[in-house]
Amino acid sequence: MLRIAVQSKGRLYDDTMNLLAEADIKVSSSKRTLLVQASNFPLEVLFLRDDDIPQSVASGVADIGIVGENEYQERGENVQILSRLGFSKCRLSLAISKEVNYTGPQWFNGKRIATSYPNVLSKYLRQNGIKADIHVITGSVEISPGIGLADGIFDIVSSGSTLVSNNLREVEIVTHSEALLVGNWNLDDEKHQILNEMLFRFSAVRSAQDKKYVMMNAPKASVPEIIKVLPGIKSPTVIPLAEEGWCSVHTVLDEKRFWSIIAKLKDLGAQGILVTPIEKMIL
């Protein structure tokens, strides 16, 4: 049995539970239970505060954990990064009042900075030769400049709406963050086997994200040009149709490039273009 530490609430909790569900690992979503066992996979889920996850994995209370990179950097625990999961993306940034004339990082010399991430901030200040007074706050860091507690803040930024609502502006991005799967260094062979199966499932889920399965009918004479346009995983599948001179072409497209490619396909004579989402993709 493998034990994974997961954030007990918030966006990272939601994204993690969605990932487990898409990987067909069935876990009760009740937030009142500290430890829950999956019904169809040898996995126990331990729900913790996000800042407790790195230590729980390092100490062996949990075998693995999903945690924000911001907390991984701040805690500095001796755990290994097993995978970057690509969700819950944000950044750790310095922000100040909109009215202030900002002249660059050295503006923070002699200033007071409120933060919940003193270790990450201290490292940044040292690297840039800045001497500032760090005020450690747990909670609503963004209100600090407005009540005169600090000249600026160092905090998580996602959309930036919280900064705007508190009359702040982002002036320096110190580091980017995403969800990490971290692990204890001393997993036995049985737990490694379970972990490898989980990583395989996670990879299949991530590979399918933002991908579309596309099928179309096309004149046989246009197939060579159509194949040049299609950026398939290896090469498109081409199947002759009952109607002489026509083929069915199947491929996988990245959603970001979908519309520009579809327009080219139509110009080459493709018809009956069918687009379907991909749930899993094994590479």
Side-chain angles (χ1 to χ4, degrees):
M1 184 74 69
L2 190 70
R3 179 178 290 178
I4 183 172
V6 168
Q7 185 173 315
S8 58
K9 60 181 180 179
R11 186 176 65 140
L12 187 54
Y13 165 85
D14 294 334
D15 289 342
T16 298
M17 298 306 289
N18 287 337
L19 176 62
L20 292 174
E22 290 177 2
D24 194 31
I25 299 174
K26 297 178 180 178
V27 179
S28 170
S29 59
S30 173
K31 298 181 182 179
R32 297 181 180 179
T33 307
L34 179 64
L35 186 65
V36 177
Q37 185 172 330
S39 61
N40 64 339
F41 194 82
L43 182 74
E44 288 181 324
V45 181
L46 178 63
F47 294 106
L48 299 174
R49 285 169 47 97
D50 56 346
D51 51 359
D52 289 333
I53 292 175
Q55 184 180 22
S56 73
V57 174
S59 65
V61 172
D63 301 306
I64 59 175
I66 294 180
V67 65
E69 191 170 0
N70 52 305
E71 289 295 345
Y72 166 80
Q73 292 183 9
E74 176 64 23
R75 302 301 157 184
E77 297 286 351
N78 185 25
V79 296
Q80 57 178 321
I81 297 177
L82 301 171
S83 178
R84 291 181 172 273
L85 299 176
F87 57 77
S88 296
K89 290 186 177 181
C90 60
R91 53 196 182 273
L92 282 170
S93 298
L94 286 160
I96 60 175
S97 174
K98 289 181 179 179
E99 287 76 25
V100 173
N101 179 28
Y102 184 68
T103 55
Q106 296 302 317
W107 179 89
F108 287 98
N109 262 315
K111 299 295 194 299
R112 298 166 299 168
I113 308 173
T115 186
S116 299
Y117 300 94
N119 293 328
V120 178
L121 177 58
S122 294
K123 181 180 178 180
Y124 171 80
L125 296 178
R126 286 196 304 272
Q127 290 175 341
N128 288 273
I130 300 169
K131 294 183 179 180
D133 185 10
I134 298 175
H135 285 246
V136 180
I137 296 176
T138 56
S140 301
V141 174
E142 64 276 0
I143 69 171
S144 301
I147 62 176
L149 185 61
D151 301 295
I153 68 168
F154 178 65
D155 202 15
I156 290 176
V157 178
S158 295
S159 65
S161 59
T162 301
L163 295 182
V164 172
S165 62
N166 285 275
N167 199 38
L168 300 174
R169 63 187 174 104
E170 186 178 14
V171 291
E172 298 291 339
I173 297 175
V174 173
T175 185
H176 291 272
S177 175
E178 65 179 288
L180 302 177
L181 180 66
V182 298
N184 186 278
W185 288 97
N186 300 308
L187 300 184
D188 59 32
D189 290 341
E190 179 183 355
K191 290 181 178 180
H192 266 295
Q193 290 180 359
I194 300 170
L195 173 61
N196 288 338
E197 171 63 22
M198 176 184 289
L199 288 171
F200 172 75
R201 295 190 185 192
F202 286 178
S203 177
V205 171
R206 291 194 61 196
S207 295
Q209 290 174 348
D210 301 322
K211 299 290 193 302
K212 301 294 182 183
Y213 190 77
V214 181
M215 298 171 279
M216 71 201 77
N217 296 332
K220 187 175 181 179
S222 298
V223 169
E225 289 301 316
I226 287 175
I227 289 176
K228 290 179 182 178
V229 171
L230 295 174
I233 299 173
K234 288 189 176 178
S235 64
T237 300
V238 180
I239 306 170
L241 294 179
E243 183 176 346
E244 186 68 27
W246 283 81
C247 294
S248 178
V249 182
H250 298 208
T251 193
V252 174
L253 292 181
D254 191 310
E255 192 169 22
K256 293 178 181 178
R257 300 183 59 189
F258 174 76
W259 287 111
S260 62
I261 291 174
I262 290 297
K264 295 177 182 177
L265 295 175
K266 290 186 68 177
D267 290 341
L268 291 170
Q271 300 177 7
I273 300 172
L274 178 64
V275 182
T276 59
I278 299 174
E279 185 176 326
K280 310 286 187 298
M281 189 163 68
I282 313 300
L283 298 177

